[in-house]
Amino acid sequence: KAGVTQTPRYLIKTRGQQVTLSCSPISGHRSVSWYQQTPGQGLQFLFEYFSETQRNKGNFPGRFSGRQFSNSRSEMNVSTLELGDSALYLCASSPLQGSQETQYFGPGTRLLVL
Amino acid sequence: SQQGEEDPQALSIQEGENATMNCSYKTSINNLQWYRQNSGRGLVHLILIRSNEREKHSGRLRVTLDTSKKSSSLLITASRAADTASYFCATGTYNQGGKLIFGQGTELSVKP
């Protein structure tokens, strides 16, 4: 099976712009979660989607949003970018919703905000 | 805030030696997972141990879980240079869905 894929892999934006990142889960996986990784804060949970519904949300401002499509692919959007949004954004998929499952991560999208 | 704290933050050993990393967490958990990350790339899943398990093995990896002490350890035996990476523990809890809370990680360097 192909692993989790994320596009684009690298992105450079300027402050105030918005960005959309895409994640395709492993075939058959219905749950997608997003994480932000920065040197200062480490790995932080953004949100989790299952069956096109947001099931869980981390402690991030409303500028961070996401959605999931009927084929389980997910996108996250960050509006009005700030310098502090520069990070590696990782998505993870698992077969079902819930904390009992192993989560498989994609290679990440590295976002640089100038 | 991070749930887990990992110890040590950095570890440097010679090839062939064993590497032990420790993880402590704060709340009751459903499971604990260990991941490896090479140079800021994606996370590779290593092993998942459930709250009712005490020890688990996978190849050269051995994970223990002590829920009474809220701690876990990852042992890599006979380390190789290719094991050089950052290692993270992540906890899942019953009421948090698929949310994982990560520790700060241990940076392991294995010298040939």
Side-chain angles (χ1 to χ4, degrees), chain A residues 10-26:
Chain A
Y10 303 93
L11 207 48
I12 299 175
K13 292 285 189 179
T14 56
R15 279 181 299 174
Q17 288 187 310
Q18 76 165 21
V19 67
T20 299
L21 311 181
S22 181
C23 172
S24 293
I26 292 171

Side-chain angles (χ1 to χ4, degrees), chain A residues 36-112:
Chain A
Q36 181 197 64
Q37 185 178 27
T38 60
Q41 298 298 316
L43 281 149
Q44 293 188 293
F45 173 79
L46 280 157
F47 22 67
E48 176 193 14
Y49 286 88
F50 181 78
S51 292
E52 302 176 64
T53 302
Q54 187 179 93
R55 304 290 178 156
N56 213 340
K57 189 177 192 306
N59 189 24
F60 278 82
R63 301 185 297 106
F64 291 80
S65 63
R67 58 178 176 168
Q68 186 181 35
F69 302 95
S70 59
N71 62 357
S72 296
R73 190 177 69 86
S74 177
E75 288 181 347
M76 69 162 280
N77 184 277
V78 188
S79 62
T80 319
L81 283 165
E82 300 177 0
L83 295 179
D85 297 333
S86 294
L88 180 66
Y89 290 88
L90 295 160
C91 84
S93 77
S94 60
L96 299 171
Q97 187 206 3
S99 63
Q100 297 87 355
E101 303 289 332
T102 295
Q103 294 194 26
Y104 298 90
F105 282 79
T109 293
R110 187 165 294 282
L111 171 64
L112 176 61

Side-chain angles (χ1 to χ4, degrees), chain B residues 79-92:
Chain B
S79 296
R80 305 165 182 168
D83 295 327
T84 295
S86 294
Y87 291 81
F88 296 88
C89 67
T91 54

Side-chain angles (χ1 to χ4, degrees), chain B residues 4-25:
Chain B
E5 294 185 3
E6 294 187 57
D7 168 55
Q9 289 190 358
L11 180 61
S12 183
I13 58 174
Q14 296 293 130
E15 250 187 344
E17 294 181 338
N18 295 342
T20 300
M21 289 159 265
N22 302 297
C23 167
S24 61
Y25 55 91

Side-chain angles (χ1 to χ4, degrees), chain B residues 56-82:
Chain B
K56 212 161 180 183
H57 296 255
S58 177
R60 295 183 295 112
L61 307 180
R62 172 179 168 252
V63 168
T64 61
L65 179 64
D66 187 335
T67 53
S68 66
K69 294 181 179 178
K70 292 187 169 57
S71 68
S72 173
S73 68
L74 170 67
L75 168 68
I76 304 174
T77 59
S79 296
R80 305 165 182 168

